Amino acid sequence: MTKLYFYLDEPGAEIWQPAFEAAMPGVDYRPYPHWGSPDEGPAYLFAWEPEPGLVAKYPNIKAIFSLGAGVDHLTRDPDLPTDIPIIRMSDDGLKEGMAEFVLMTVLMHHRYMPRMIASQQKREWRRLFPPLASEVRVGILGYGALGKVSAAALKPLGYQVAAWSRSEKEPEHGVEHFTGTEEFEAFLARTDILVGLLPSTPETTNLLNKDTMSLMPKYASIINVGRGTLINLGDMVDLLDDGHLSAATLDVFVKEPLDQESPLWDHPKVIITPHIASITRPKSAAEYVARNIERIEKGLQPENLLDRYRGY
Ligand code: NDP
Ligand code: OXD
């Protein structure tokens, strides 16, 4: 019988149990702290941000399923054993949710909604006339599972979509592609609305700073749904205040929840959402985990295995 440990850093473990029981009939589902002894035999772990040191106490864990597409909530544990395979979430629900959120926020930036909301708060009747979607250049940082579905959602509206990633890609679906550090500046220079969909790694940390964001056209805007480490927020606020950038929507932060004292909450050009751009949904996630446990048990490589060297 498959044993599945479950760890969530907030309440809600009970809504997952029926989904796992439906996807894996007979599963021995054990939400934390009811994991039992590690001597009871092998187990898989499905987790979001387990407390540091916990996983190391359970050498019976065969593989960890990240509840999210990102893995930084796991790998920041200094005691995490380096030999446990980690499988990233990439189920259909996560992709659909992200495509919706990116489409919504790109439309909001394109149609000047942050400025409309700021005007409303001042009771100001201020008419602004946006360009057509076909005149707006959207740039997606990261062209993986979520970058691709987001690009596909934007294209039918006519946006000029480009994407940037580490490795070269075949041109597809009319999305212009930029590769690596050599093409980063050209990518920024052609981007009016930038969507951050990168994992947190040493290479992506602080990638958007005063120098790089200044390369974007005047009145460009930023939507960050990847990880908070991407942006130097102090530099971003300076560029919003001096008018170089026109707006930012931020869904992810280095420290979550965002501090109560953060000046970002009140910034008239900033929209904050609490890491909900996309969420992992029990039914499709449980099916994804079940499918991958079956692969592991058959000796096959699971889908979306973390490459620890690349960091994603
Ligand atoms: P993928 O691994 O499928 O894609 C990652 C993309 O980033 C790839 O295109 C990769 O390039 C690119 N990339 C990574 N490092 C670099 C680099 N140094 N330079 C250029 N490109 C780089 O991940 P997903 O699309 O599934 O998820 C992306 C991120 O979104 C997650 O890591 C997570 O942090 C975040 N996320 C946020 C959510 C939210 O609710 N806010 C929800 C889900 C995910 P290449 O193609 O060449 O490998
Ligand atoms: C994430 C997620 O990795 O929610 O942020 O999937």
Side-chain angles (χ1 to χ4, degrees):
M1 189 199 299
T2 305
K3 194 177 346 260
L4 184 67
Y5 293 164
F6 181 91
Y7 188 103
L8 194 59
D9 65 337
E10 57 187 19
E14 63 293 344
I15 63 162
W16 288 85
Q17 183 158 359
F20 279 114
E21 285 172 351
M24 302 164 63
V27 66
D28 178 5
Y29 176 77
R30 300 196 184 189
Y32 188 76
H34 310 291
W35 288 6
S37 157
D39 300 334
E40 287 175 42
Y44 293 95
L45 169 63
F46 183 66
W48 182 267
E49 198 142 27
E51 51 195 58
L54 180 66
V55 174
K57 291 184 195 149
Y58 286 82
N60 58 323
I61 295 176
K62 285 177 74 173
I64 305 176
F65 289 88
S66 167
L67 200 140
V71 292
D72 39 313
H73 62 102
L74 296 165
T75 54
R76 69 169 72 110
D77 175 354
D79 298 323
L80 189 79
T82 50
D83 55 347
I84 301 188
I86 297 179
I87 296 115
R88 304 174 40 235
M89 184 48 63
S90 193
D91 70 321
D92 290 342
L94 197 63
K95 292 182 205 163
E96 280 174 39
M98 186 57 82
E100 287 169 8
F101 190 89
V102 170
L103 179 59
M104 173 187 76
T105 46
V106 167
L107 273 164
M108 284 178 70
H109 282 220
H110 156 210
R111 297 301 304 255
Y112 303 147
M113 281 308 285
R115 278 185 260 179
M116 298 287 169
I117 293 166
S119 292
Q120 180 183 343
Q121 278 163 359
K122 291 189 277 177
R123 297 175 173 254
E124 197 176 81
W125 186 267
R126 183 165 167 240
R127 301 179 75 212
L128 297 168
F129 304 100
L132 290 169
S134 57
E135 295 164 323
V136 177
R137 298 164 298 175
V138 180
I140 304 178
L141 277 179
Y143 199 49
L146 301 177
K148 285 185 181 166
V149 291
S150 301
L154 293 165
K155 276 307 285 182
L157 271 84
Y159 288 111
Q160 298 173 37
V161 181
W164 180 76
S165 68
R166 217 168 51 99
S167 58
E168 241 168 82
K169 305 272 186 278
E170 288 297 319
E172 54 177 9
H173 313 305
V175 176
E176 193 181 356
H177 193 263
F178 293 78
T179 310
T181 38
E182 315 75 49
E183 293 180 7
F184 187 52
E185 292 190 2
F187 168 83
L188 291 175
R190 58 73 64 202
T191 293
D192 301 311
I193 301 178
L194 182 136
V195 179
L197 257 172
L198 286 167
S200 180
T201 68
E203 292 78 27
T204 62
T205 297
N206 219 14
L207 198 57
L208 295 184
N209 52 49
K210 190 163 188 127
D211 293 342
T212 54
M213 289 184 281
S214 300
L215 297 171
M216 296 174 70
K218 191 162 169 65
Y219 306 127
S221 69
I222 293 177
I223 295 163
N224 190 21
V225 283
R227 280 295 180 266
T229 46
L230 176 69
I231 309 179
N232 180 320
L233 290 177
D235 289 354
M236 187 198 76
V237 168
D238 288 346
L239 291 168
L240 286 167
D241 290 344
D242 77 14
H244 184 74
L245 294 177
S246 60
T249 294
L250 306 173
D251 183 61
V252 283
F253 300 87
V254 171
K255 182 166 170 278
E256 296 179 0
L258 179 64
D259 278 337
Q260 279 296 310
E261 293 72 36
S262 170
L264 290 168
W265 288 108
D266 299 317
H267 198 291
K269 294 182 179 174
V270 175
I271 292 178
I272 288 169
T273 52
H275 201 142
I276 46 68
S278 188
I279 52 166
T280 301
R281 288 157 207 274
K283 183 172 182 297
S284 51
E287 287 163 3
Y288 175 85
V289 170
R291 188 166 73 239
N292 277 297
I293 289 182
E294 207 176 302
R295 288 182 68 85
I296 296 171
E297 297 291 325
K298 283 185 183 154
L300 300 171
Q301 177 157 310
E303 300 159 35
N304 298 302
L305 185 65
L306 168 70
D307 178 334
R308 293 225 191 196
Y309 178 72
R310 289 188 322 184
Y312 66 98

